[in-house]
Amino acid sequence: MAEAPDQNHSDTDPQQAAKSSAFIQMKSVPQRSYARDLRLRDGDVIVAVDGTVCNIDIAEFEDLLLDARDDETPLFVTIARDQMFFEIFMSGPLGGDLDYTDSRSAADIAARFANHSVGPRAQYQTYEALRDVHRHVTIYSTEYSGLATICPPLWLIQHRALEPLAAVIAAYAAAAAVHWSLFVITVILIGAYFHKIQYRIIRNYNIFTEHFYWVVCAARSVADAQKICREIDPKCAFSFSYVGPPQDNEVEDKKAARRAARAAK
């Protein structure tokens, strides 16, 4: 007597095949979540881990994130957003809802990713970008800087943080006016303080100057980080730009609107 075919096996195979070729994407990003802290968006797609295409299922990816948190070794992840790719470090569970891309989107992303270059993770560091309402962007690295500990004023000048610089110089001057030993103690205490919090000073200063937390990415240099920001917002501007001036289509848009209005008459 012939054996009956395994109906369950034949039904699940197409689903498994579809998942094996799909990517994981952010279905929703709650306001209070690690994904929000990384400034991920709904629809962002996890394309690769350590430069290798990532077609694993959601449970496996969440296990990798848990391992990253427990081992204190962030995942080096490539994200697809619209028509661009960028890298980011993930240090734990994202706290958002995940889903799979459809087969057509997965095929398109895989084809475009073949032309995207990802270097060794050791060459990358995390950059944060804050943007104001005029689309002016400040970018800084979250990596430790010895200059911030050894000479806080120079580090503040490097980041153009003028108000904190004035406060530090005033503290030095007041301490020196009292006694040289107090000056030495003040220098040591301020250096220790800057050693501990570093980039959070710059982040809070930029928030004070009405810049808002905008983009988090992993890049090999400030220039590469600026390129990522410019791809996300072609009209964003930087004080010291490595990518040239932003696109300014306002004049052309006005001319096109006038031509359209004349044609409609």
Side-chain angles (χ1 to χ4, degrees):
M1 183 175 181
E3 294 183 0
D6 188 344
Q7 185 65 36
N8 291 332
H9 184 271
S10 61
D11 287 344
T12 57
D13 274 352
Q15 296 176 0
Q16 292 174 348
K19 288 184 179 180
S20 68
S21 62
F23 294 107
I24 298 169
Q25 68 176 350
M26 296 300 306
K27 184 177 180 181
S28 65
V29 179
Q31 285 292 328
R32 296 182 179 275
S33 65
Y34 180 50
R36 175 68 175 173
D37 293 342
L38 294 177
R39 287 307 183 258
L40 297 177
R41 301 178 184 175
D42 296 354
D44 281 353
V45 178
I46 289 90
V47 180
V49 174
D50 287 332
T52 303
V53 172
C54 180
N55 293 122
I56 61 178
D57 62 38
I58 291 173
E60 288 180 271
F61 181 67
E62 289 177 336
D63 285 342
L64 289 178
L65 292 173
L66 289 172
D67 291 341
R69 182 190 63 187
D70 296 340
D71 299 339
E72 298 183 353
T73 304
L75 281 186
F76 181 53
V77 177
T78 300
I79 299 292
R81 177 179 296 172
D82 299 327
Q83 295 298 308
M84 66 172 292
F85 297 97
F86 64 93
E87 279 65 49
I88 195 168
F89 287 106
M90 296 181 178
S91 301
L94 297 175
D97 294 330
L98 301 176
D99 201 354
Y100 297 101
T101 60
D102 57 60
S103 57
R104 180 177 297 179
S105 297
D108 175 64
I109 291 169
R112 289 187 289 109
F113 181 70
N115 298 318
H116 177 70
S117 175
V118 181
R121 63 176 291 157
Q123 296 179 356
Y124 290 75
Q125 54 186 300
T126 296
Y127 287 88
E128 294 181 353
L130 286 82
R131 183 180 62 170
D132 67 10
V133 294
H134 303 292
R135 290 179 164 174
H136 176 268
V137 177
T138 59
I139 296 180
Y140 53 86
S141 169
T142 62
E143 294 295 308
Y144 169 78
S145 172
L147 182 62
T149 303
I150 298 170
C151 189
L154 286 180
W155 184 74
L156 291 169
I157 291 172
Q158 183 183 45
H159 288 279
R160 296 172 290 282
L162 301 182
E163 285 85 350
L165 174 63
V168 169
I169 292 176
Y172 286 166
V178 175
H179 195 271
W180 68 267
S181 61
L182 182 60
F183 172 74
V184 172
I185 292 172
T186 302
V187 169
I188 293 172
L189 290 177
I190 290 178
Y193 178 70
F194 273 63
H195 173 80
K196 186 175 182 180
I197 67 171
Q198 294 242 337
Y199 71 89
R200 289 192 292 274
I201 294 175
I202 302 302
R203 177 195 292 168
N204 292 336
Y205 170 69
N206 281 291
I207 291 174
F208 169 75
T209 58
E210 298 184 345
H211 287 73
F212 303 96
Y213 206 46
W214 179 45
V215 170
V216 179
C217 64
R220 284 175 276 200
S221 65
V222 174
D224 288 345
Q226 287 187 1
K227 290 177 183 177
I228 292 170
C229 292
R230 181 60 60 79
E231 284 191 75
I232 294 174
D233 180 7
K235 292 188 178 182
C236 70
F238 310 94
S239 295
F240 296 91
S241 179
Y242 293 94
V243 293
Q247 295 180 8
D248 186 4
N249 298 323
E250 185 175 353
V251 175
E252 292 299 324
D253 291 344
K254 288 181 179 179
K255 289 181 179 179
R258 286 197 295 266
R259 287 194 293 268
R262 287 195 297 268
K265 290 180 180 180

